[in-house]
Amino acid sequence: MSVTALAPATVANLGPGFDVIGMAIDGIGDTVTVSHSAEPGVHIASIAGDDGRLPTDPALNTAAIAAAETMKAAGIETGLSIDLEKGLPLCSGLGSSAASAVAAAFATNQLLGSPLRKLDLIGPCMEAEAVVAGRHADNVAPALLGGLVLIRSTDPLDVVRLPIPEGLTVVVVTPQMDLPTKEARAVLPDVVPLKMMVAATAQVASLVSACYSGDLSLLSRSLEDPVVTPARIGLIPGGEAALAAALGSGALGASISGAGPSLFALCRSERSARSTALAMKAAVEENGVSARAHISPANCPGVRRL
Ligand code: HSE
């Protein structure tokens, strides 16, 4: 018997919400099939779509780690075999490692007879993320739960689903280059001046408030991030220009998706998203890096069984 699951891409941080806010994206994701195996432990049977770049060592692969951690959390020991199909580019800021972990954890749990709730899978997926990208849940939580998620705390785990204003549409533009999360985290300041902390806190609070009230003008003012984005934007060729192009084409706001190099914009409608996508892609490509644009509703489901 086997179970196949698809986990979506995610936009982490959503501007000012570094490590605490993330959103699921529709139409792109990773697919994992988990099967029973006579061999004890978890092993990777195949990986497709990664150009041979991902480790097949189960101790280093996020799908295998998440599957093993899910078994541990459920108190079950059995042999599992994993087939991973990467739909997401690696090191792209779209939550690629998280999507593999989430699809694997979800499929493993279903194969074992669903002993755990979706919320219980966040911990096992975070263990997998910790190995490759640092311990944070702003990709794994929305990839599991769907929609827009606030992570108030990872220890103990406390996550909140946020409402999403009607019609809100996301543009994601992905420059065709790698930016490993570890590198993008290494440029961040260890210490932030109190004034900056005040500005960042105000932005996150008003972003959450705008989600509840549906006030798009407030949402638009709340997407600017005073701390992390300025430190990272120089790592992305054409990044500054793409964010300016998004605003120039009528987007509500724009910032880096997760650790980058992908960039995202929030738009009032699909029509507005289409012109924003073209403007952002052109701005990146003017800097000599080709880019792909993707448009998704902001309100998307999380992981699902195929
Ligand atoms: N919140 C994380 C970061 C997301 O910005 O480093 C990485 O995927």
Side-chain angles (χ1 to χ4, degrees):
M1 191 196 162
S2 66
V3 173
T4 300
L6 168 74
T10 41
V11 170
N13 304 338
L14 212 72
F18 178 66
D19 279 2
V20 301
I21 292 183
M23 177 184 263
I25 298 295
D26 213 16
I28 39 174
D30 284 0
T31 305
V32 172
T33 300
V34 181
S35 318
H36 284 296
S37 162
E39 213 178 298
V42 178
H43 70 273
I44 302 277
S46 71
I47 306 179
D50 70 326
D51 294 326
R53 294 172 59 203
L54 280 177
T56 51
D57 177 348
L60 301 175
N61 183 291
T62 59
I65 300 166
E69 290 291 331
T70 300
M71 280 206 285
K72 203 160 118 191
I76 297 173
E77 261 184 59
T78 184
L80 295 180
S81 154
I82 290 183
D83 293 281
L84 167 61
E85 203 183 313
K86 290 298 297 178
L88 297 178
L90 312 185
C91 302
S92 61
L94 294 174
S96 168
S97 55
S100 297
V102 164
F106 185 79
T108 300
N109 190 44
Q110 295 248 321
L111 190 69
L112 301 177
S114 301
L116 302 172
R117 299 166 306 161
K118 257 190 188 176
L119 269 182
D120 302 325
L121 300 177
I122 294 178
C125 292
M126 252 193 330
E127 293 308 320
E129 277 282 74
V131 173
V132 299
R135 207 183 150 74
H136 52 87
D138 52 342
N139 293 111
V140 298
L144 271 163
L145 305 176
L148 181 60
V149 181
L150 166 72
I151 295 97
R152 193 200 63 80
S153 158
T154 53
D155 191 15
L157 192 66
D158 190 359
V159 300
V160 183
R161 290 280 309 267
L162 298 174
I164 296 175
E166 191 78 25
L168 197 68
T169 306
V170 192
V171 172
V172 179
V173 170
T174 304
Q176 304 297 288
M177 60 175 272
D178 279 4
L179 180 51
T181 299
K182 277 185 181 160
E183 273 176 36
R185 288 177 89 84
V187 301
L188 301 181
D190 287 331
V191 176
V192 170
L194 194 61
K195 244 179 147 172
M196 227 187 227
M197 191 212 82
V198 171
T201 307
Q203 287 296 77
V204 177
S206 64
L207 176 56
V208 171
S209 172
C211 288
Y212 277 93
S213 66
D215 180 343
L216 293 186
S217 161
L218 180 63
L219 182 66
S220 171
R221 300 198 298 282
S222 309
L223 289 170
E224 199 174 323
D225 159 37
V227 181
V228 172
T229 306
R232 283 177 168 169
I233 196 71
L235 300 174
I236 306 167
E240 288 273 18
L243 299 188
L247 297 182
S249 70
L252 293 166
S255 192
I256 301 173
S257 173
S262 289
L263 303 152
F264 79 93
L266 294 186
C267 299
R268 288 170 196 276
S269 64
E270 204 188 319
R271 186 159 170 237
S272 159
R274 279 198 293 271
S275 51
T276 296
L278 287 177
M280 292 177 80
K281 182 169 149 52
V284 172
E285 292 189 334
E286 264 165 36
N287 283 267
V289 181
S290 67
R292 284 202 190 125
H294 180 76
I295 294 175
S296 163
N299 204 349
C300 293
V303 64
R304 52 202 176 272
R305 191 170 174 166
L306 296 182

